[in-house]
Amino acid sequence: MLLRISSPVHEEVRIVESTIQRLLEQPRVTLCRFQDTFYRMYQEVRMMRNRVALVFSLALSLVILGLMGFVGNELNNRMKEIAIRKVNGASMNRIFLLLFHHLGSLFLLSLPFVIASAYYAGSLWLRQFAVQISLTWKIFVSGLLITIFVICMTLLLKSWRGIRINPAETLKMNRE
C-alpha cells in the first residue's frame, strides 16, 4: 500500500503507522519512503550502469592506446613522404589532413557496423524497462562527434612531434 504524506514529520508517520495497525490488526506495520522503494527497484540497473561505465572507460583507454600505436606506425612509415612534402611547402595542417585521411577512411568504413550494433545493443537494453526512450539519430550523432573528437585529438597529439621534425634530419635518418 502506498500513502503520500505531504510533509514527512515523525509524528505524522507514527500516527499513520498506529492507524494502519489498528485497522488491519497486524502486529507490526512498517512504513518506508517511496524514494527508498524506488531506489531498491532500480538497484540492479544502477549496478549494470556502473559496470558498463567501467567497461566503457577501459575500452576507451585501449582504443586510444591502439590508436596511438597505429598513428605512430603510420607516422614512421610516412616520415620520408612528410619530410618531402614539408620541403615542398606543405603546411602542418595539410600534413595533418594527409594523416587523418587514411584514419578517416577506416572510420567511415566501420561506421555502418558501429551504428547497427549500437542500435541493436541499445534496443536490447531498453526492452527491460516499462517506460522507454526512443533511440533518435541525435544520440548516435553525438556519439559520432565524440568519437571524431577523440580520434582527432589522439592523432594531433601523437603526430605533433613527428610533423615538427626538421625535414633534413628525417631525410638524413632514412638514408642511413
Side-chain angles (χ1 to χ4, degrees), residues 114-136:
V114 170
I115 290 175
S117 61
Y119 183 80
Y120 180 71
S123 297
L124 283 179
W125 173 254
L126 287 174
R127 285 184 192 164
Q128 68 179 332
F129 299 106
V131 178
Q132 299 177 1
I133 63 168
S134 60
L135 293 175
T136 62

PDB file of all heavy atoms in Angstrom, residues 114-136:
ATOM      1  N   VAL A 114      29.199  -0.063 -36.676  1.00  0.00           N
ATOM      2  CA  VAL A 114      29.138   0.501 -35.331  1.00  0.00           C
ATOM      3  C   VAL A 114      27.735   1.001 -35.020  1.00  0.00           C
ATOM      4  O   VAL A 114      27.202   0.747 -33.928  1.00  0.00           O
ATOM      5  CB  VAL A 114      30.182   1.638 -35.174  1.00  0.00           C
ATOM      6  CG1 VAL A 114      29.985   2.404 -33.895  1.00  0.00           C
ATOM      7  CG2 VAL A 114      31.585   1.072 -35.258  1.00  0.00           C
ATOM      8  N   ILE A 115      27.128   1.709 -35.947  1.00  0.00           N
ATOM      9  CA  ILE A 115      25.782   2.242 -35.712  1.00  0.00           C
ATOM     10  C   ILE A 115      24.772   1.113 -35.559  1.00  0.00           C
ATOM     11  O   ILE A 115      23.919   1.145 -34.658  1.00  0.00           O
ATOM     12  CB  ILE A 115      25.373   3.206 -36.850  1.00  0.00           C
ATOM     13  CG1 ILE A 115      26.202   4.480 -36.770  1.00  0.00           C
ATOM     14  CG2 ILE A 115      23.894   3.540 -36.778  1.00  0.00           C
ATOM     15  CD1 ILE A 115      25.977   5.435 -37.899  1.00  0.00           C
ATOM     16  N   ALA A 116      24.868   0.094 -36.397  1.00  0.00           N
ATOM     17  CA  ALA A 116      23.924  -1.024 -36.306  1.00  0.00           C
ATOM     18  C   ALA A 116      24.078  -1.775 -34.985  1.00  0.00           C
ATOM     19  O   ALA A 116      23.084  -2.101 -34.329  1.00  0.00           O
ATOM     20  CB  ALA A 116      24.131  -1.979 -37.478  1.00  0.00           C
ATOM     21  N   SER A 117      25.300  -2.029 -34.570  1.00  0.00           N
ATOM     22  CA  SER A 117      25.495  -2.754 -33.308  1.00  0.00           C
ATOM     23  C   SER A 117      25.084  -1.900 -32.112  1.00  0.00           C
ATOM     24  O   SER A 117      24.536  -2.422 -31.139  1.00  0.00           O
ATOM     25  CB  SER A 117      26.937  -3.234 -33.177  1.00  0.00           C
ATOM     26  OG  SER A 117      27.817  -2.144 -33.177  1.00  0.00           O
ATOM     27  N   ALA A 118      25.325  -0.597 -32.157  1.00  0.00           N
ATOM     28  CA  ALA A 118      24.903   0.280 -31.057  1.00  0.00           C
ATOM     29  C   ALA A 118      23.384   0.342 -30.965  1.00  0.00           C
ATOM     30  O   ALA A 118      22.816   0.322 -29.868  1.00  0.00           O
ATOM     31  CB  ALA A 118      25.476   1.678 -31.245  1.00  0.00           C
ATOM     32  N   TYR A 119      22.717   0.407 -32.105  1.00  0.00           N
ATOM     33  CA  TYR A 119      21.252   0.432 -32.101  1.00  0.00           C
ATOM     34  C   TYR A 119      20.689  -0.877 -31.554  1.00  0.00           C
ATOM     35  O   TYR A 119      19.754  -0.870 -30.755  1.00  0.00           O
ATOM     36  CB  TYR A 119      20.722   0.693 -33.516  1.00  0.00           C
ATOM     37  CG  TYR A 119      19.219   0.795 -33.562  1.00  0.00           C
ATOM     38  CD1 TYR A 119      18.580   1.975 -33.194  1.00  0.00           C
ATOM     39  CD2 TYR A 119      18.439  -0.284 -33.947  1.00  0.00           C
ATOM     40  CE1 TYR A 119      17.195   2.072 -33.219  1.00  0.00           C
ATOM     41  CE2 TYR A 119      17.059  -0.204 -33.977  1.00  0.00           C
ATOM     42  CZ  TYR A 119      16.445   0.974 -33.609  1.00  0.00           C
ATOM     43  OH  TYR A 119      15.082   1.066 -33.624  1.00  0.00           O
ATOM     44  N   TYR A 120      21.267  -1.990 -31.968  1.00  0.00           N
ATOM     45  CA  TYR A 120      20.798  -3.298 -31.501  1.00  0.00           C
ATOM     46  C   TYR A 120      21.020  -3.450 -29.994  1.00  0.00           C
ATOM     47  O   TYR A 120      20.119  -3.885 -29.265  1.00  0.00           O
ATOM     48  CB  TYR A 120      21.521  -4.410 -32.266  1.00  0.00           C
ATOM     49  CG  TYR A 120      21.098  -5.788 -31.854  1.00  0.00           C
ATOM     50  CD1 TYR A 120      19.834  -6.273 -32.177  1.00  0.00           C
ATOM     51  CD2 TYR A 120      21.957  -6.604 -31.136  1.00  0.00           C
ATOM     52  CE1 TYR A 120      19.439  -7.538 -31.788  1.00  0.00           C
ATOM     53  CE2 TYR A 120      21.575  -7.867 -30.740  1.00  0.00           C
ATOM     54  CZ  TYR A 120      20.319  -8.336 -31.067  1.00  0.00           C
ATOM     55  OH  TYR A 120      19.933  -9.584 -30.667  1.00  0.00           O
ATOM     56  N   ALA A 121      22.218  -3.085 -29.512  1.00  0.00           N
ATOM     57  CA  ALA A 121      22.508  -3.204 -28.079  1.00  0.00           C
ATOM     58  C   ALA A 121      21.616  -2.269 -27.259  1.00  0.00           C
ATOM     59  O   ALA A 121      21.114  -2.650 -26.201  1.00  0.00           O
ATOM     60  CB  ALA A 121      23.979  -2.895 -27.818  1.00  0.00           C
ATOM     61  N   GLY A 122      21.387  -1.059 -27.752  1.00  0.00           N
ATOM     62  CA  GLY A 122      20.507  -0.125 -27.054  1.00  0.00           C
ATOM     63  C   GLY A 122      19.074  -0.615 -27.003  1.00  0.00           C
ATOM     64  O   GLY A 122      18.387  -0.474 -25.985  1.00  0.00           O
ATOM     65  N   SER A 123      18.609  -1.207 -28.099  1.00  0.00           N
ATOM     66  CA  SER A 123      17.242  -1.755 -28.128  1.00  0.00           C
ATOM     67  C   SER A 123      17.089  -2.906 -27.145  1.00  0.00           C
ATOM     68  O   SER A 123      16.079  -3.006 -26.442  1.00  0.00           O
ATOM     69  CB  SER A 123      16.892  -2.233 -29.530  1.00  0.00           C
ATOM     70  OG  SER A 123      16.904  -1.169 -30.424  1.00  0.00           O
ATOM     71  N   LEU A 124      18.093  -3.782 -27.093  1.00  0.00           N
ATOM     72  CA  LEU A 124      18.042  -4.889 -26.127  1.00  0.00           C
ATOM     73  C   LEU A 124      18.011  -4.371 -24.691  1.00  0.00           C
ATOM     74  O   LEU A 124      17.292  -4.894 -23.842  1.00  0.00           O
ATOM     75  CB  LEU A 124      19.248  -5.816 -26.308  1.00  0.00           C
ATOM     76  CG  LEU A 124      19.217  -6.770 -27.480  1.00  0.00           C
ATOM     77  CD1 LEU A 124      20.497  -7.586 -27.528  1.00  0.00           C
ATOM     78  CD2 LEU A 124      18.015  -7.692 -27.399  1.00  0.00           C
ATOM     79  N   TRP A 125      18.805  -3.361 -24.417  1.00  0.00           N
ATOM     80  CA  TRP A 125      18.876  -2.807 -23.068  1.00  0.00           C
ATOM     81  C   TRP A 125      17.540  -2.159 -22.677  1.00  0.00           C
ATOM     82  O   TRP A 125      17.077  -2.295 -21.548  1.00  0.00           O
ATOM     83  CB  TRP A 125      20.001  -1.786 -22.998  1.00  0.00           C
ATOM     84  CG  TRP A 125      20.071  -1.030 -21.718  1.00  0.00           C
ATOM     85  CD1 TRP A 125      19.719   0.259 -21.525  1.00  0.00           C
ATOM     86  CD2 TRP A 125      20.513  -1.511 -20.449  1.00  0.00           C
ATOM     87  NE1 TRP A 125      19.907   0.622 -20.226  1.00  0.00           N
ATOM     88  CE2 TRP A 125      20.400  -0.460 -19.533  1.00  0.00           C
ATOM     89  CE3 TRP A 125      20.981  -2.729 -19.992  1.00  0.00           C
ATOM     90  CZ2 TRP A 125      20.743  -0.582 -18.204  1.00  0.00           C
ATOM     91  CZ3 TRP A 125      21.326  -2.841 -18.661  1.00  0.00           C
ATOM     92  CH2 TRP A 125      21.206  -1.787 -17.793  1.00  0.00           C
ATOM     93  N   LEU A 126      16.913  -1.474 -23.603  1.00  0.00           N
ATOM     94  CA  LEU A 126      15.672  -0.761 -23.294  1.00  0.00           C
ATOM     95  C   LEU A 126      14.463  -1.679 -23.136  1.00  0.00           C
ATOM     96  O   LEU A 126      13.466  -1.272 -22.543  1.00  0.00           O
ATOM     97  CB  LEU A 126      15.380   0.275 -24.381  1.00  0.00           C
ATOM     98  CG  LEU A 126      16.277   1.505 -24.360  1.00  0.00           C
ATOM     99  CD1 LEU A 126      15.990   2.379 -25.564  1.00  0.00           C
ATOM    100  CD2 LEU A 126      16.101   2.281 -23.079  1.00  0.00           C
ATOM    101  N   ARG A 127      14.533  -2.896 -23.644  1.00  0.00           N
ATOM    102  CA  ARG A 127      13.397  -3.810 -23.545  1.00  0.00           C
ATOM    103  C   ARG A 127      13.029  -4.172 -22.118  1.00  0.00           C
ATOM    104  O   ARG A 127      11.895  -4.553 -21.850  1.00  0.00           O
ATOM    105  CB  ARG A 127      13.689  -5.101 -24.316  1.00  0.00           C
ATOM    106  CG  ARG A 127      13.593  -4.934 -25.791  1.00  0.00           C
ATOM    107  CD  ARG A 127      13.804  -6.250 -26.484  1.00  0.00           C
ATOM    108  NE  ARG A 127      13.980  -6.028 -27.916  1.00  0.00           N
ATOM    109  CZ  ARG A 127      14.469  -6.901 -28.733  1.00  0.00           C
ATOM    110  NH1 ARG A 127      14.849  -8.087 -28.300  1.00  0.00           N
ATOM    111  NH2 ARG A 127      14.598  -6.614 -30.011  1.00  0.00           N
ATOM    112  N   GLN A 128      13.949  -4.040 -21.189  1.00  0.00           N
ATOM    113  CA  GLN A 128      13.667  -4.439 -19.820  1.00  0.00           C
ATOM    114  C   GLN A 128      12.897  -3.382 -19.020  1.00  0.00           C
ATOM    115  O   GLN A 128      12.476  -3.639 -17.906  1.00  0.00           O
ATOM    116  CB  GLN A 128      14.967  -4.790 -19.094  1.00  0.00           C
ATOM    117  CG  GLN A 128      15.870  -3.584 -18.868  1.00  0.00           C
ATOM    118  CD  GLN A 128      17.123  -3.967 -18.130  1.00  0.00           C
ATOM    119  OE1 GLN A 128      17.124  -4.922 -17.371  1.00  0.00           O
ATOM    120  NE2 GLN A 128      18.191  -3.226 -18.346  1.00  0.00           N
ATOM    121  N   PHE A 129      12.686  -2.218 -19.586  1.00  0.00           N
ATOM    122  CA  PHE A 129      12.014  -1.140 -18.879  1.00  0.00           C
ATOM    123  C   PHE A 129      10.589  -0.944 -19.392  1.00  0.00           C
ATOM    124  O   PHE A 129      10.319  -1.111 -20.572  1.00  0.00           O
ATOM    125  CB  PHE A 129      12.786   0.177 -19.038  1.00  0.00           C
ATOM    126  CG  PHE A 129      14.169   0.115 -18.484  1.00  0.00           C
ATOM    127  CD1 PHE A 129      15.262   0.038 -19.332  1.00  0.00           C
ATOM    128  CD2 PHE A 129      14.391   0.114 -17.119  1.00  0.00           C
ATOM    129  CE1 PHE A 129      16.541  -0.026 -18.831  1.00  0.00           C
ATOM    130  CE2 PHE A 129      15.665   0.057 -16.616  1.00  0.00           C
ATOM    131  CZ  PHE A 129      16.742  -0.016 -17.464  1.00  0.00           C
ATOM    132  N   ALA A 130       9.712  -0.563 -18.483  1.00  0.00           N
ATOM    133  CA  ALA A 130       8.325  -0.305 -18.869  1.00  0.00           C
ATOM    134  C   ALA A 130       8.222   1.006 -19.653  1.00  0.00           C
ATOM    135  O   ALA A 130       7.513   1.100 -20.642  1.00  0.00           O
ATOM    136  CB  ALA A 130       7.436  -0.247 -17.636  1.00  0.00           C
ATOM    137  N   VAL A 131       8.947   2.016 -19.207  1.00  0.00           N
ATOM    138  CA  VAL A 131       8.969   3.304 -19.885  1.00  0.00           C
ATOM    139  C   VAL A 131      10.296   3.395 -20.625  1.00  0.00           C
ATOM    140  O   VAL A 131      11.359   3.235 -20.030  1.00  0.00           O
ATOM    141  CB  VAL A 131       8.836   4.468 -18.878  1.00  0.00           C
ATOM    142  CG1 VAL A 131       8.909   5.801 -19.589  1.00  0.00           C
ATOM    143  CG2 VAL A 131       7.553   4.343 -18.092  1.00  0.00           C
ATOM    144  N   GLN A 132      10.217   3.635 -21.920  1.00  0.00           N
ATOM    145  CA  GLN A 132      11.428   3.634 -22.737  1.00  0.00           C
ATOM    146  C   GLN A 132      11.594   4.962 -23.452  1.00  0.00           C
ATOM    147  O   GLN A 132      10.623   5.617 -23.785  1.00  0.00           O
ATOM    148  CB  GLN A 132      11.358   2.514 -23.779  1.00  0.00           C
ATOM    149  CG  GLN A 132      11.257   1.142 -23.185  1.00  0.00           C
ATOM    150  CD  GLN A 132      11.114   0.080 -24.255  1.00  0.00           C
ATOM    151  OE1 GLN A 132      11.111   0.362 -25.435  1.00  0.00           O
ATOM    152  NE2 GLN A 132      10.993  -1.154 -23.823  1.00  0.00           N
ATOM    153  N   ILE A 133      12.848   5.300 -23.696  1.00  0.00           N
ATOM    154  CA  ILE A 133      13.131   6.457 -24.543  1.00  0.00           C
ATOM    155  C   ILE A 133      13.263   5.950 -25.970  1.00  0.00           C
ATOM    156  O   ILE A 133      13.478   4.768 -26.206  1.00  0.00           O
ATOM    157  CB  ILE A 133      14.425   7.178 -24.110  1.00  0.00           C
ATOM    158  CG1 ILE A 133      15.640   6.257 -24.267  1.00  0.00           C
ATOM    159  CG2 ILE A 133      14.307   7.698 -22.707  1.00  0.00           C
ATOM    160  CD1 ILE A 133      16.959   6.962 -24.144  1.00  0.00           C
ATOM    161  N   SER A 134      13.135   6.837 -26.902  1.00  0.00           N
ATOM    162  CA  SER A 134      13.334   6.431 -28.292  1.00  0.00           C
ATOM    163  C   SER A 134      14.798   6.661 -28.658  1.00  0.00           C
ATOM    164  O   SER A 134      15.419   7.628 -28.222  1.00  0.00           O
ATOM    165  CB  SER A 134      12.420   7.224 -29.220  1.00  0.00           C
ATOM    166  OG  SER A 134      12.702   8.598 -29.102  1.00  0.00           O
ATOM    167  N   LEU A 135      15.327   5.765 -29.442  1.00  0.00           N
ATOM    168  CA  LEU A 135      16.706   5.890 -29.897  1.00  0.00           C
ATOM    169  C   LEU A 135      16.719   6.776 -31.136  1.00  0.00           C
ATOM    170  O   LEU A 135      16.568   6.312 -32.258  1.00  0.00           O
ATOM    171  CB  LEU A 135      17.299   4.511 -30.201  1.00  0.00           C
ATOM    172  CG  LEU A 135      17.482   3.602 -29.000  1.00  0.00           C
ATOM    173  CD1 LEU A 135      17.959   2.237 -29.439  1.00  0.00           C
ATOM    174  CD2 LEU A 135      18.448   4.205 -28.021  1.00  0.00           C
ATOM    175  N   THR A 136      16.889   8.071 -30.927  1.00  0.00           N
ATOM    176  CA  THR A 136      16.853   9.026 -32.028  1.00  0.00           C
ATOM    177  C   THR A 136      18.233   9.162 -32.661  1.00  0.00           C
ATOM    178  O   THR A 136      19.249   8.738 -32.101  1.00  0.00           O
ATOM    179  CB  THR A 136      16.379  10.407 -31.539  1.00  0.00           C
ATOM    180  OG1 THR A 136      17.324  10.895 -30.573  1.00  0.00           O
ATOM    181  CG2 THR A 136      15.000  10.317 -30.907  1.00  0.00           C
TER     182      THR A 136
END
